[in-house]
Amino acid sequence: MDELVGRLAAKAGIDSAVAEKTIGIVLGFLRNEGPSDKVQALIDQIPGAEAAIAASNNGGGLSRLMGGGLMAVGSRLMALGLSMGEIQKVARELFVFGRDKIGADQMGEIISGTPGLSQFA
């Protein structure tokens, strides 16, 4: 997790704490919306990912009020103070990291199998 947090913070120019929260939100979204076996393979390659996902779910009622899908993820990330440009940088870096960890084919299946995600690839 530290490697990914560091990469996101550096590439997107965001704080490490925000980067970690962002990772949890995005991975939680992928788990809920993407191809579960491929997403789980990615999560398994990131030590600390489960804890980050669990921490990102602490929004409880507010998260449920915002609904699901990509728009809700965008709203949650903007609530952390990220701009659309920063969200795009984070997404691209997460995809690069994912390709490094599970391969381009599996990461491509996650991107194509998750509604709305291909616009960030």
Side-chain angles (χ1 to χ4, degrees):
M1 179 63 84
D2 292 340
E3 174 190 359
L4 180 54
V5 168
R7 282 174 66 166
L8 287 184
K11 296 278 184 174
I14 60 177
D15 180 79
S16 294
V18 171
E20 188 166 351
K21 289 176 186 174
T22 299
I23 293 165
I25 291 169
V26 171
L27 290 177
F29 163 73
L30 291 175
R31 174 177 272 166
N32 290 334
E33 303 287 334
S36 59
D37 57 331
K38 307 291 187 237
V39 172
Q40 193 58 50
L42 175 62
I43 291 169
D44 290 344
Q45 293 297 314
I46 307 171
E50 294 287 354
I53 293 167
S56 76
N57 287 331
N58 286 343
L62 180 59
S63 295
R64 282 191 293 276
L65 284 176
M66 286 194 279
L70 197 57
M71 292 301 290
V73 170
S75 295
R76 291 182 68 197
L77 295 177
M78 285 188 255
L80 292 176
L82 297 179
S83 68
M84 275 307 291
E86 289 168 329
I87 291 170
Q88 289 174 329
K89 287 178 188 175
V90 163
R92 287 188 189 108
E93 191 57 33
L94 279 169
F95 297 154
V96 169
F97 185 84
R99 287 181 190 104
D100 291 347
K101 292 295 181 184
I102 62 172
D105 289 344
Q106 283 195 54
M107 197 62 218
E109 289 180 42
I110 290 173
I111 293 167
S112 65
T114 306
L117 204 59
S118 61
Q119 67 186 328
F120 292 98

